[in-house]
Amino acid sequence: MMLKSGIVLAGLAALSVMAVAEETCPPPETMAALVGEQAFTQTRTLSGVDRPIISNGTVVVSENSVVWTVTAPVEISTRVTEDGIFQSVMGGPETPLNSSGAGNPILTETGLLAIMRGDLSASESYYTRTMYELAEDGWTTELAPKSETVSPHLTSLTLKGCTELEEITIHQPNGDAVNVVFGVE
Amino acid sequence: MDAPGSEKPRALLVFLALLLVCGGILTARFSAPTPVFDTDLQSILPHADEQKQAQQVAGVLSSVFSDRVAFLVEADSPERAKTARTALQAQLVAANLFIDDQADTSATGRWIFENRREILCEASAAEFTEETAEQVWRSAIGQVFGVGIPVTGEQLQADPFLLTYRLADCLSGELGAAGTQDALLTGRLTSPAGAFETQSAIADILSAWQADWSGQGVRLVRMGAVFHAAHGAASAKREVTLIGSISLAGVILIFLFAFRRLGSLVLVSLLIGSSILAGLSATLLVFPKVHLLVLVFAATLVGIVADYAVHAMAARFSNDWPDAQTSRLLIRRPLTVSMLTTVIGFAGLLFLNVGMLAQLAVFAVSGIVSAWLLVQWVLIPFDTPPSNRGPRKQAWTVRAERAGRLIGYRPVLIACSALFAGLTVLGIARHTTLDDVRRFQPRDAQLLAEEAQIARLLNTSPADLYLVSQGATLNEAKRAEETAAGILGADQISGARFSRFDPSQEKRAAARAVIADRLEAPYLGAAREMFGLREAEPATQAAAVRPDWLNQLHLETDDGKHFLVAPVSLASGPTPALGDNAHLVDIPSTYSDAFARYRHLTGVSLSIASVIAMIAVVLIFRDPRSALVVLCPCAAMLGGIFIPCLFGMPVSFFSVAAGMVLFGIGIDYAAFFWESRTRRENWTLASVLIGAATTEVSMGLLSLSDTFPVQSFGITVATGVVCALSYTILLLGQSSRGESLGETEIL
């Protein structure tokens, strides 16, 4: 009898935790778009490199473009539009980034921009969802790419967030990772 | 008299022995693992010689480009197009027919990485200025600190300036933007595009794929030589099938009208089949492979072989079916003269040192000799007389005499012959030639439109022109190619160039020096500090392996020479001087040269054969006037080739090849007429008329074709046979000496 009531209580407790999480963090499918200017911090953890490579800046997501502006340690502006990707380094002229270099499939063929606009369903064309966790402080989901063009550059994407996207981690095949946290400068 | 019964078993034995020998040879050859039929158009090119080596090399190496294919899948949604494209790629790869360009991607990437410090995006080291170096450095910073770009630690340690990415960008940009199109499938065929098996296999796969996808609104756009070749072959096949069916019906009707016996038709069919079988067996005994075009031309033996059978049967019909030995006596001499002279004509091809024509010679000679033997020792014994031979002979005689009166009217013969001779002279004076393969068959407009659509997407154009560079060493060939490419200009090279991806030692050294001086010296320290890289020299370059597609642009010949080939899309205008070791080679011109050479050689061969045949005929008949036996067919041959020129049909290899057939047929008519004149026989005219009629409906009907080679062949035969009849009857017919067609006299 004691055992039975214990299980019931535990079940109720678990349901109440989920109910709280659902109240505060809706599923990622309903997350809001990153609106206006957002601060971000990118941390590259690369094998064979002594220290993480960290850069800070702001990102502005709009209907037609996403502009990433790195302010430290150097000034870099990367503008992603339907016409292509353009970059200016340290106040230099803006030059187009071509398709094969710089692994631009990450920016153009991964649905990453759609995710930033809050449209997780758009990612279904590009990814298979391999993990989904809901915790009190938010959700975590992991996506594996379907595209053969992208998979040599990207093993998986881990997204974290609550009402909106808060963190993206790009996992590379060799174990390297690129982590972008929004709202932190 | 009937043929003695004892000859039938012997005839059967001869026939079975022939079938057994041929069957044995063919079984042995067809059971061998090596293919028996050569279907590659490359094989018809003349043998290599010093002057033609560049063309030969271009011919071999251009197959790399000829074998390339591209498909664009169009659909309502990008996802559906991508799925359909993936399905097509899987089907082509599963059939071992296709290598996707993407398959070489990692090898190409590795090659570029290993050579990143020795290949420049710029055309020369001088163009890699201090400003360029600064841009490279800034770009590396942007990629490392910028967002989302997946640089790995190993890459950054080995390549702090990310030169690999830069190089991949500029080289792929030069080659077009195929990689960015999800619905585009590019690659190369694993077997020659000119081979009929390849064309057929591709067509089967595309049909199956379209059956799956066309209902879903998916459309396929194609680019590649294989589709033009397949289209040409398919339309030729359609025509030949249609014309062939009409011809077959025509021949059956002629035989039934002339002999009124189904058995005659069966015997002739068996004779033709056996002769072709013998020809094929002999050719496969001598040569490792037979080209399919040889079979096409050798099939024209049908006309000659059928004539032999018609002579034998007509002689027996007219002479009340004598015994086999007497029947043979009736035809032996003219048949032998005809056989010998035709054999001489075809055997002449053996001495031209052209593989395909040598095969044709063996095929034709063995086929004709077999027909000569089979007619006498198999067909005659099996040609049993009809039960009502009296009325049959009477009806035949009436028909033969009626035909004789109709065609033997001298004023008409004189007028026709004079007209033909005049037209021939005029044709010779005004003739033109056509050897240009591009004009043999118009290209399909739909395919050209599809090709243009993909070419726009790939930023390229289909190339028929190639830059061939050579050297005693590979490095020398690379230097020659680099120099020529510099003269032509980078924008004139319409595809991959070997030395662009694997430069000469000199160019590599210059690139190494300029990267060290202008990039590494000023910025390497800063890069290490900024990116947190360890104090180590960039990794030592491993010996990289060239990707397969790059190796295919290089050929080392048996004498140790190295050749490189690159496609060129040169605007019209004078060809610039490219140096001693580089040449521009036009592939269609190479084929056109081959056909011009074949036309010339066949013409020479025919002239020599005519002279030899004339000597042989005079020696056999021991009468100088018997030279007419060769002169008549020669005049007919000239008429067949040159009269059509007055109506816009140029002289080509195909019309001269038809001239060879005319030579054989014409001598056959003339020899029989000569013999009949001597023996005062009345069956020759009917026999020749039946032969001529079957030739006109079998080969002459080919003149209705829309495909130039087939049409040219058909028109030549159609015209030449009429000339041959006219000249022969006028000059060698019995009435030419005022003799009347009287009772048959058998000697």
Side-chain angles (χ1 to χ4, degrees):
Chain A
M1 191 63 185
M2 281 290 286
L3 180 65
K4 190 177 176 184
S5 61
I7 292 169
V8 170
L9 285 172
L12 287 171
L15 280 173
S16 65
V17 167
M18 281 189 72
V20 169
E22 278 176 10
E23 262 178 29
T24 50
C25 294
E29 285 77 13
T30 58
M31 70 178 170
L34 291 171
V35 182
E37 189 174 283
Q38 297 272 336
F40 76 87
T41 297
Q42 174 178 270
T43 307
R44 285 185 190 273
T45 311
L46 305 181
S47 53
V49 177
D50 291 341
R51 58 175 188 270
I53 298 175
I54 299 169
S55 48
N56 303 308
T58 57
V59 59
V60 178
V61 181
S62 65
E63 186 63 30
N64 300 320
S65 68
V66 177
V67 180
W68 299 84
T69 308
V70 174
T71 50
V74 287
E75 276 186 26
I76 302 163
S77 169
T78 310
R79 190 164 58 87
V80 184
T81 70
E82 283 184 359
D83 297 332
I85 304 166
F86 305 90
Q87 194 170 66
S88 160
V89 181
M90 296 189 286
E94 190 178 62
T95 52
L97 286 180
N98 294 323
S99 56
S100 59
N104 281 323
I106 295 294
L107 293 174
T108 56
E109 294 185 26
T110 60
L112 206 56
L113 301 182
I115 293 170
M116 290 172 70
R117 290 190 184 112
D119 184 8
L120 196 63
S121 62
S123 71
E124 286 170 8
S125 320
Y126 303 97
Y127 297 103
T128 307
R129 191 183 288 192
T130 54
M131 190 271 277
Y132 174 65
E133 276 180 8
L134 189 61
E136 195 172 350
D137 58 342
W139 45 260
T140 303
T141 187
E142 196 167 285
L143 308 172
K146 291 178 180 175
S147 166
E148 289 172 10
T149 322
V150 174
S151 52
H153 307 285
L154 188 159
T155 315
S156 64
L157 274 184
T158 303
L159 308 180
K160 287 184 180 177
C162 183
T163 53
E164 62 183 27
L165 184 64
E166 292 170 359
E167 187 178 336
I168 302 174
T169 307
I170 300 168
H171 301 279
Q172 294 175 233
N174 69 334
D176 289 356
V178 183
N179 174 260
V180 180
V181 179
F182 296 100
V184 178
E185 195 163 3
Chain B
M1 276 176 60
D2 198 353
S6 61
E7 282 227 0
K8 270 192 182 175
R10 193 179 67 181
L12 190 64
L13 211 63
V14 170
F15 186 62
L16 290 177
L18 178 86
L19 287 185
L20 203 67
V21 172
C22 293
I25 295 169
L26 293 181
T27 306
R29 293 307 309 276
F30 278 95
S31 58
T34 49
V36 167
F37 293 116
D38 182 359
T39 62
D40 191 353
L41 280 175
Q42 298 269 355
S43 313
I44 69 167
L45 288 172
H47 289 178
D49 53 39
E50 276 308 307
Q51 291 73 35
K52 296 260 179 186
Q53 197 169 35
Q55 281 89 337
Q56 292 297 316
V57 169
V60 172
L61 291 178
S62 71
S63 66
V64 173
F65 301 99
S66 303
D67 296 345
R68 284 197 62 77
V69 284
F71 303 94
L72 175 67
V73 179
E74 293 181 329
D76 298 340
S77 68
E79 288 77 19
R80 181 168 294 171
K82 197 172 170 181
T83 313
R85 171 213 178 273
T86 308
L88 178 61
Q89 190 250 19
Q91 285 176 33
L92 290 167
V93 170
N96 284 329
L97 204 62
F98 175 76
I99 298 171
D100 193 337
D101 281 343
Q102 299 293 326
D104 275 348
T105 304
S106 66
T108 306
R110 186 78 201 162
W111 175 261
I112 291 174
F113 173 74
E114 298 293 359
N115 291 280
R116 66 194 178 279
R117 297 178 68 234
E118 297 188 345
I119 306 174
L120 294 173
C121 285
E122 291 70 24
S124 68
E127 290 173 42
F128 191 88
T129 59
E130 280 85 0
E131 289 75 25
T132 311
E134 188 186 349
Q135 279 171 14
V136 171
W137 165 231
R138 281 172 180 258
S139 174
I141 292 172
Q143 289 178 64
V144 173
F145 288 105
V147 175
I149 297 162
V151 180
T152 67
E154 291 96 333
Q155 281 171 340
L156 200 58
Q157 189 72 40
D159 185 11
F161 300 105
L162 300 175
L163 290 171
T164 307
Y165 285 155
R166 180 174 190 263
L167 206 50
D169 272 341
C170 67
L171 292 179
S172 60
E174 288 172 20
L175 292 180
T180 62
Q181 301 292 329
D182 274 347
L184 192 66
L185 179 63
T186 60
R188 59 182 187 274
L189 299 170
T190 53
S191 52
F196 300 126
E197 294 96 335
T198 312
Q199 295 162 20
S200 165
I202 282 270
D204 289 347
I205 289 174
L206 294 188
S207 298
W209 181 87
Q210 272 167 331
D212 291 341
W213 290 96
S214 58
Q216 301 179 46
V218 176
R219 181 175 167 267
L220 187 69
V221 182
R222 301 154 297 168
M223 181 187 207
V226 68
F227 303 115
H228 286 288
H231 176 266
S235 50
K237 196 175 162 187
R238 268 197 308 276
E239 278 183 346
V240 169
T241 308
L242 178 69
I243 295 170
S245 307
I246 299 171
S247 298
L248 187 65
V251 170
I252 290 171
L253 283 176
I254 290 167
F255 267 76
L256 290 179
F257 172 76
F259 298 113
R260 312 264 162 113
R261 300 178 71 198
L262 209 60
S264 308
L265 202 62
V266 174
L267 280 175
V268 171
S269 305
L270 278 175
L271 179 72
I272 291 169
S274 313
S275 305
I276 289 177
L277 191 71
L280 180 63
S281 306
T283 314
L284 282 174
L285 205 60
V286 178
F287 298 97
K289 277 183 183 181
V290 177
H291 199 282
L292 216 56
L293 276 182
V294 171
L295 294 188
V296 172
F297 283 106
T300 57
L301 282 181
V302 172
I304 298 169
V305 174
D307 280 0
Y308 288 4
V310 168
H311 292 318
M313 288 190 287
R316 283 172 58 70
F317 233 114
S318 301
N319 293 288
D320 201 15
W321 289 275
D323 61 55
Q325 200 175 350
T326 312
S327 299
R328 279 194 289 272
L329 271 177
L330 285 171
I331 59 165
R332 182 172 294 170
R333 197 158 74 154
L335 197 69
T336 305
V337 168
S338 173
M339 182 272 289
L340 280 177
T341 46
T342 310
V343 160
I344 288 168
F346 277 103
L349 294 176
L350 272 173
F351 304 102
L352 301 179
N353 195 29
V354 176
M356 191 187 85
L357 295 184
Q359 289 176 15
L360 178 59
V362 172
F363 197 115
V365 167
S366 46
I368 288 169
V369 172
S370 303
W372 176 78
L373 285 167
L374 287 170
V375 161
Q376 296 182 75
W377 282 280
V378 177
L379 186 139
I380 286 177
F382 273 102
D383 181 34
T384 48
S387 52
N388 54 343
R389 62 170 69 177
R392 282 293 186 100
K393 191 203 167 198
Q394 186 60 35
W396 162 263
T397 309
V398 169
R399 286 199 299 277
E401 284 181 353
R402 198 176 291 161
R405 276 197 299 274
L406 190 72
I407 207 154
Y409 187 53
R410 283 187 67 78
V412 174
L413 277 177
I414 292 168
C416 285
S417 298
L419 179 69
F420 293 148
L423 290 175
T424 304
V425 173
L426 212 57
I428 291 171
R430 292 190 177 179
H431 83 277
T432 54
T433 56
L434 177 61
D435 304 304
D436 188 348
V437 291
R438 283 165 288 212
R439 290 171 57 197
F440 280 179
Q441 190 170 34
R443 290 192 158 193
D444 181 52
Q446 169 70 25
L447 276 175
L448 286 174
E450 291 182 22
E451 204 163 74
Q453 187 180 345
I454 295 183
R456 277 195 300 275
L457 204 63
L458 293 174
N459 191 28
T460 184
S461 58
D464 281 333
L465 194 64
Y466 296 92
L467 169 65
V468 177
S469 312
Q470 66 185 77
T473 62
L474 178 56
N475 196 57
E476 205 175 293
K478 287 183 200 175
R479 275 206 312 268
E481 190 181 67
E482 284 163 352
T483 307
I487 295 167
L488 287 169
D491 56 334
Q492 302 294 332
I493 307 291
S494 58
R497 171 167 65 85
F498 189 94
S499 57
R500 182 71 182 104
F501 287 82
D502 186 359
S504 63
Q505 288 160 10
E506 295 77 3
K507 201 138 182 160
R508 282 174 177 271
R512 247 191 339 261
V514 79
I515 285 174
D517 291 348
R518 293 181 181 163
L519 184 65
E520 292 173 347
Y523 301 113
L524 187 58
R528 284 187 185 137
E529 191 182 329
M530 193 174 249
F531 302 154
L533 303 176
R534 289 165 193 163
E535 288 289 327
E537 285 298 311
T540 314
Q541 280 181 224
V545 178
R546 273 194 293 267
D548 283 345
W549 64 265
L550 191 55
N551 277 325
Q552 286 185 326
L553 306 178
H554 167 230
L555 178 76
E556 186 177 358
T557 51
D558 292 339
D559 57 358
K561 279 186 182 168
H562 293 261
F563 291 86
L564 301 174
V565 70
V568 172
S569 53
L570 197 62
S572 57
T575 306
L578 301 173
D580 292 339
N581 288 331
H583 313 271
L584 286 178
V585 177
D586 183 353
I587 294 299
S589 295
T590 306
Y591 280 99
S592 303
D593 288 349
F595 277 110
R597 188 164 178 235
Y598 285 163
R599 177 173 54 78
H600 174 71
L601 289 177
T602 313
V604 170
S605 168
L606 267 175
S607 308
I608 295 169
S610 302
V611 173
I612 296 173
M614 206 177 299
I615 296 167
V617 163
V618 171
L619 286 176
I620 291 168
F621 290 121
R622 297 174 190 282
D623 184 344
R625 285 172 302 172
S626 64
L628 283 172
V629 171
V630 178
L631 286 175
C632 283
C634 283
M637 195 169 66
L638 291 174
I641 293 171
F642 290 104
I643 290 175
C645 294
L646 296 172
F647 303 95
M649 179 60 62
V651 177
S652 68
F653 162 67
F654 306 99
S655 60
V656 181
M660 294 200 71
V661 177
L662 277 176
F663 184 67
I665 291 173
I667 283 195
D668 179 63
Y669 298 168
F672 272 88
F673 263 93
W674 176 268
E675 201 70 14
S676 76
R677 195 171 71 159
T678 320
R679 296 185 179 188
R680 298 174 55 75
E681 293 161 347
N682 72 344
W683 53 268
T684 304
L685 180 60
S687 163
V688 164
L689 275 180
I690 296 165
T694 51
T695 305
E696 288 289 11
V697 297
S698 57
M699 284 185 270
L701 273 183
L702 296 177
S703 53
L704 300 176
S705 168
D706 284 334
T707 309
F708 174 76
V710 181
Q711 188 189 41
S712 172
F713 189 92
I715 287 179
T716 306
V717 170
T719 314
V721 163
V722 176
C723 292
L725 269 183
S726 183
Y727 296 147
T728 308
I729 298 171
L730 179 69
L731 297 172
L732 295 171
Q734 289 176 19
S735 56
S736 66
R737 289 195 303 191
E739 295 143 342
S740 63
L741 294 166
E743 279 297 305
T744 305
E745 186 181 324
I746 305 166
L747 297 178

